[in-house]
């Protein structure tokens, strides 16, 4: 099979463009080849082998992700939220960002406790 991809999410934007492409391709191949044995659990395992956040994009909507990002718990939002996104002219690779995060230290006086949204999840 030959697949042509026309990307609309900028590379290096941190929006999961490559991961969502991988998940969509897995779903497409599963449907085209009618591989009934590839249920959610097996498809999710394949997705996790491609990238930590690929399983997230197999589903849809908001979710709480644990582990490396491959453990997904749907978390429907009770209200629709507006989003305003700014993308700088430069990109940052995920591998680079996480490699730098590993070496960071806490800033004295900074609040690292979980922040609360003004909405409640059910």
């Amino acid at each position: 099979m030959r697949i042509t991809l026309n990307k609309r999410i900028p590379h290096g934007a941190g929006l999961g463009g490559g991961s969502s492409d991988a998940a969509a391709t897995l779903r497409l191949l599963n449907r085209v080849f009618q591989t009934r044995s590839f249920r959610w659990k097996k498809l999710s395992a394949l997705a996790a082998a491609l990238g930590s956040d690929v399983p997230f994009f197999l589903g849809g909507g908001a979710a709480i992700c644990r582990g490396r990002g491959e453990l997904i718990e749907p978390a429907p939002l009770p209200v629709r939220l507006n989003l305003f996104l700014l993308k700088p002219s430069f990109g940052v690779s995920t591998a680079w960002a996480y490699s730098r995060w590993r070496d960071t230290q806490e800033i004295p006086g900074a609040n690292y406790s979980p922040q609360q949204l003004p909405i409640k999840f059910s």
Side-chain angles (χ1 to χ4, degrees), residues 2-106:
R2 181 184 197 125
I3 298 172
T4 301
L5 174 66
N6 295 314
K7 293 187 70 71
R8 294 205 172 124
I9 295 176
H11 177 75
L15 299 172
S19 297
S20 62
D21 293 339
T25 302
L26 282 177
R27 291 182 66 179
L28 171 73
L29 293 173
N30 197 32
R31 181 179 293 161
V32 168
F33 291 110
Q34 300 176 356
T35 51
R36 298 182 198 286
S37 63
F38 280 37
R39 299 285 184 229
W40 170 256
K41 198 170 196 173
K42 190 169 184 179
L43 206 57
S44 186
L46 281 171
L50 294 174
S52 294
D53 60 347
V54 177
F56 170 80
F57 292 102
L58 287 174
I64 296 171
C65 303
R66 293 187 172 83
R68 295 181 357 253
E70 80 282 9
L71 305 173
I72 313 297
E73 178 186 338
L77 295 173
V79 296
R80 187 178 178 101
L81 299 174
N82 294 318
L83 177 68
F84 180 69
L85 181 67
L86 297 173
K87 163 66 172 86
S89 60
F90 59 89
V92 174
S93 82
T94 303
W96 182 89
Y98 278 105
S99 72
R100 297 315 186 269
W101 179 263
R102 182 180 49 243
D103 299 329
T104 61
Q105 297 177 4
E106 288 189 6

